[in-house]
């Protein structure tokens, strides 16, 4: 049960109602995380959506973005985001082995993706103060621009991880296997 006092979607007005309508039009529903964020702070939801929009234009592929979000969400213990991004990962073509691998720091079947997921986990574990060797490993297969875009992806998912952990957002996606 949500910990924060979130008004039902049916009571949304103004900017929140506009954002919810756009989300529903795009994905067919308003996920509980977005409903909670938008009901309490339409500015925060709009910012999160813009951040995700920027990521789609970044130097990272959709599979790479989802791998980062899965690795970080698993490390954060955010069951909501793990479920959502396992589903999204599948939709963008990540096989089940890759989803499981990036979540649990095991081989995903894609060595390059494993380096990226390891780097994302290292960023979170060290609060950004990664060892030079971690940067060298990721630079061996990713450009400096992709490293910066990885930081953006970690930032985006960290916000929703934090919201869902604080709120204890009710899962409205199939649980991740």
């Amino acid at each position: 049960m949500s910990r924060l006092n979130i008004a039902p979607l049916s009571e949304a007005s103004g900017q929140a109602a506009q954002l919810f309508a756009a989300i529903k039009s795009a994905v067919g529903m308003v996920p509980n995380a977005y409903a909670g964020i938008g009901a309490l702070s339409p500015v925060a939801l709009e910012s999160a959506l813009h951040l995700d929009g920027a990521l789609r234009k970044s130097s990272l592929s959709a599979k790479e973005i989802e791998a980062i979000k899965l690795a970080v969400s698993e490390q954060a213990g955010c069951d909501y985001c793990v479920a959502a991004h396992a589903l999204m990962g599948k939709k963008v073509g990540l096989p089940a082995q890759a989803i499981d691998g990036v979540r649990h720091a095991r081989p995903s079947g894609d060595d390059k993706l494993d380096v990226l997921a390891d780097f994302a986990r290292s960023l979170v574990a060290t609060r950004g103060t990664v060892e030079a060797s971690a940067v060298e490993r990721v630079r061996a297969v990713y450009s400096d621009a992709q490293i910066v875009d990885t930081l953006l992806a970690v930032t985006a998912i960290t916000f929703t991880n934090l919201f869902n952990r604080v709120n204890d957002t009710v899962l409205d996606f199939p649980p991740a296997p």
Side-chain angles (χ1 to χ4, degrees):
M1 173 125 118
S2 297
R3 295 181 193 168
L4 302 177
N5 296 319
I6 299 170
L9 283 175
S10 60
E11 294 179 15
S13 62
Q15 184 183 13
Q18 291 173 355
L19 291 168
F20 295 155
I23 293 167
K24 187 171 183 180
S25 174
V27 297
M29 66 178 277
V30 179
N32 286 342
Y34 287 166
I37 294 167
L40 298 169
S41 176
V43 169
L45 178 58
E46 183 177 36
S47 297
L49 294 172
H50 282 297
L51 198 54
D52 278 335
L55 274 173
R56 286 190 296 277
K57 297 175 191 174
S58 77
S59 62
L60 297 171
S61 71
K63 288 180 184 179
E64 290 164 333
I65 292 166
E66 292 307 321
I68 292 164
K69 289 182 174 188
L70 278 165
V72 171
S73 296
E74 184 70 36
Q75 190 158 352
C78 183
D79 294 341
Y80 188 94
C81 286
V82 168
H85 293 288
L87 182 63
M88 290 302 300
K90 185 177 177 182
K91 285 185 178 188
V92 299
L94 283 175
Q97 177 186 350
I99 290 169
D100 183 69
V102 298
R103 281 184 59 203
H104 301 292
R106 295 192 290 249
S108 70
D110 182 331
D111 293 341
K112 188 176 175 186
L113 209 57
D114 293 344
V115 168
L116 188 63
D118 288 345
F119 183 67
R121 278 188 292 278
S122 178
L123 285 167
V124 174
T126 65
R127 296 176 294 188
T129 308
V130 295
E131 297 286 332
S133 60
V135 176
E136 290 170 17
R137 276 191 302 280
V138 76
R139 284 187 84 207
V141 290
Y142 286 95
S143 71
D144 289 354
Q146 289 172 309
I147 292 169
V148 172
D149 288 339
T150 297
L151 302 176
L152 186 64
V154 170
T155 300
I157 195 61
T158 298
F159 171 69
T160 53
N161 286 170
L162 290 171
F163 174 80
N164 291 317
R165 298 287 297 183
V166 167
N167 183 49
D168 199 16
T169 303
V170 175
L171 191 60
D172 54 352
F173 294 103

